[in-house]
Amino acid sequence: MRLHSWEGVLQISALVLLFSSHRVTGASGDDVLWRANGRASCLYWGMGTIKSDDQFVQLHDLIIGSSNVADFLAELSTVAASTLSGDAGAPIECGVTLRRRKRNVTIAGSSERAVVLDKLEQALGEGPCLAALEVMRPMVLSNVETDNRWPNYQKVLAENGCGSVLGVPLALDEHQSAALNFFAAEPDVFAPDTVHRAEAFADLASRALRLALRIADTQSLADDLKAAMASRTTIDLACGVIMAQNRCSQDEAMALLTKASSHRNQKLRDVAAGILGRVSDGAVSTHFDP
């Protein structure tokens, strides 16, 4: 049996993403054409052109270079913070919140402080990031001293030297979503142009994250299947031992094995492994095609 590794599925799926074409809507409501051309793509926004070649390739490389979703999101948060810092002209940190099965979890951040502030927002149950996830649009906290929409969280932000916050949602599917939580030390950092830039980045990031999550689900399924196959090998070999010792059929051997599992209150695979351990010193392995 042939099972794909995370890296193999990553490379195949990332190429599918890279050479696909999509028409989407930009932050200003204008049509945006995401068109692959060679190794990179461009965003054509309204009458002007925003070149996102480097950024698109960077996200593409992050997917291929990450061993799991958590690693990808850690790298993504760093790229997001760097991108918005350059646009705003001020240092910005970024945390990433992932909502799966109605549960919010802080996965990664560009700094330790970003992770802490994001986790505190989850613990308090209020803040611009959570609000952005609810309404699926950016939420700006321009000044933690004057805007009183989230008083408990704003107190925590002020104590940690944070002056303004921006929460930007990432649309994934009906069962899961994510958000980028941007933090700045100074107030009024997130001007409308910076928010629009964050939305444009979030559009690319959401596509990459959807792909990474699908790859993770595929790899998880492959791992489960591989484990099931390994268990089945042990059980089948144990049945063979029982058949040889009792001169019975495979069905009768399986019935004896199942009965022993029930009486001993042990998993079927563990009972089978015990039988094999009494007749062989070598480890049992399942052979897959390379």
Side-chain angles (χ1 to χ4, degrees):
M1 181 178 180
R2 194 180 304 272
L3 294 176
H4 295 292
S5 66
W6 164 273
E7 291 81 2
V9 179
L10 272 171
Q11 292 175 12
I12 294 170
S13 301
L15 286 173
V16 172
L17 173 67
L18 183 62
F19 290 101
S20 61
S21 296
H22 305 277
R23 181 171 294 278
V24 298
T25 302
S28 62
D30 298 328
D31 272 347
V32 177
L33 179 62
W34 186 16
R35 184 173 62 199
N37 181 13
R39 288 190 67 247
S41 64
C42 293
L43 285 174
Y44 295 90
W45 202 312
M47 296 299 292
T49 300
I50 300 177
K51 292 194 174 184
S52 62
D53 300 48
D54 293 342
Q55 198 165 79
F56 183 86
V57 172
Q58 189 174 18
L59 291 177
H60 164 266
D61 290 342
L62 286 183
I63 298 174
I64 292 181
S66 301
S67 59
N68 53 51
V69 173
D71 286 349
F72 167 71
L73 289 176
E75 295 293 336
L76 177 65
S77 66
T78 300
V79 174
S82 176
T83 298
L84 229 60
S85 294
D87 186 78
I92 292 174
E93 300 164 74
C94 178
V96 182
T97 296
L98 182 62
R99 173 179 287 181
R100 304 189 82 176
R101 302 175 185 90
K102 298 182 179 180
R103 182 169 176 261
N104 298 320
V105 180
T106 300
I107 301 295
S110 63
S111 67
E112 184 176 346
R113 183 170 72 161
V115 172
V116 170
L117 290 176
D118 200 278
K119 287 183 176 180
L120 287 171
E121 183 173 357
Q122 314 307 322
L124 291 171
E126 66 172 44
C129 179
L130 295 180
L133 279 171
E134 291 299 323
V135 299
M136 291 307 293
R137 60 181 176 82
M139 297 295 290
V140 180
L141 173 58
S142 296
N143 191 322
V144 300
E145 300 293 344
T146 59
D147 189 332
N148 297 314
R149 283 175 291 172
W150 306 286
N152 294 325
Y153 187 48
Q154 287 171 227
K155 181 180 178 182
V156 171
L157 291 169
E159 291 172 350
N160 284 272
C162 183
S164 53
V165 182
L166 168 64
V168 184
L170 305 181
L172 301 177
D173 58 40
E174 58 181 332
H175 302 296
Q176 55 192 0
S177 56
L180 300 176
N181 213 0
F182 295 102
F183 305 97
E186 299 298 323
D188 302 315
V189 169
F190 301 105
D193 288 346
T194 302
V195 174
H196 291 162
R197 182 72 181 92
E199 286 184 280
F201 179 87
D203 180 68
L204 286 177
S206 65
R207 296 169 189 272
L209 180 54
R210 280 199 299 269
L211 177 60
L213 290 171
R214 288 172 186 169
I215 292 169
D217 289 342
T218 300
Q219 182 62 37
S220 178
L221 179 61
D223 290 342
D224 290 345
L225 180 57
K226 188 172 182 178
M229 291 289 290
S231 294
R232 192 69 216 184
T233 297
T234 301
I235 293 168
D236 286 344
L237 287 173
C239 281
V241 172
I242 295 172
M243 290 168 65
Q245 292 177 341
N246 295 274
R247 296 185 179 279
C248 62
S249 68
Q250 183 180 8
D251 288 343
E252 290 171 331
M254 188 64 188
L256 288 171
L257 192 61
T258 303
K259 186 177 181 179
S261 172
S262 177
H263 285 173
R264 299 176 189 178
N265 195 27
Q266 286 183 290
K267 292 182 178 180
L268 191 63
R269 184 186 185 281
D270 293 339
V271 175
I275 292 173
L276 295 180
R278 290 194 292 271
V279 299
S280 174
D281 294 332
V284 175
S285 60
T286 303
H287 299 281
F288 298 99
D289 292 338

